[in-house]
Amino acid sequence: MTAIKESSTIQENKQYALDKCPVTYVMEKIGGYWKPIIIYHLSGGSKRYSELKRAIPAVTEKMLIQHLKQLEADHLVIREAKPVVPPFVTYSLSASGKGLMPVIEAMATWAFKDKEDGFKNS
């Protein structure tokens, strides 16, 4: 992977947008296709990796692992590993992750309404 030059203009612009624009900040945290879906599925309580994989069958293992790590690094998801054999790992929403639920629910509400309106206008 190519190293990112910290002092580049594009990095300065990105940092400025993150600092000044709340939408950019949110999109940096939950942007992408799978992150909001993972958060949605964790809203019902903690789940093991296999439960998330079953709940989101279209996601690849690589993407699910990658996004869970990113969500954990952004303090939206808590990963709890219990020291037993075989390993027992659960994922749950942090307080910050739970704070996103009104956003995720608003997205779902909008989607249902937009789909309904789309059918009416067809």
Side-chain angles (χ1 to χ4, degrees), residues 72-85:
E72 182 184 11
D74 286 336
H75 308 288
L76 299 175
V77 166
I78 298 168
R79 180 184 185 272
E80 184 181 352
K82 297 187 172 121
V84 294
V85 177

Side-chain angles (χ1 to χ4, degrees), residues 1-115:
M1 191 144 87
T2 307
I4 297 173
K5 186 177 172 186
E6 295 292 328
S7 62
S8 71
T9 304
I10 198 160
Q11 290 304 314
E12 289 176 15
N13 290 343
K14 185 176 178 182
Q15 189 58 50
Y16 178 81
L18 283 170
D19 292 342
K20 300 294 181 188
C21 177
V23 174
T24 301
Y25 180 82
V26 171
M27 292 308 296
E28 181 70 17
K29 301 291 182 185
I30 67 164
Y33 187 79
W34 299 110
K35 286 181 184 179
I37 296 169
I38 293 167
I39 292 168
Y40 173 79
H41 283 287
L42 289 174
S43 69
S46 66
K47 295 201 177 2
R48 295 186 72 178
Y49 174 86
S50 59
E51 292 175 300
L52 285 169
K53 183 67 181 110
R54 267 193 307 276
I56 316 168
V59 68
T60 65
E61 287 188 26
K62 178 184 175 187
M63 283 289 104
L64 183 54
I65 291 167
Q66 181 179 331
H67 288 307
L68 283 167
K69 285 181 180 180
Q70 289 171 354
L71 288 166
E72 182 184 11
D74 286 336
H75 308 288
L76 299 175
V77 166
I78 298 168
R79 180 184 185 272
E80 184 181 352
K82 297 187 172 121
V84 294
V85 177
F88 191 89
V89 178
T90 58
Y91 296 91
S92 58
L93 292 178
S94 67
S96 186
K98 289 176 184 172
L100 282 169
M101 286 318 301
V103 175
I104 302 297
E105 290 166 359
M107 290 168 61
T109 300
W110 177 86
F112 287 128
K113 184 177 180 336
D114 192 62
K115 280 181 169 181

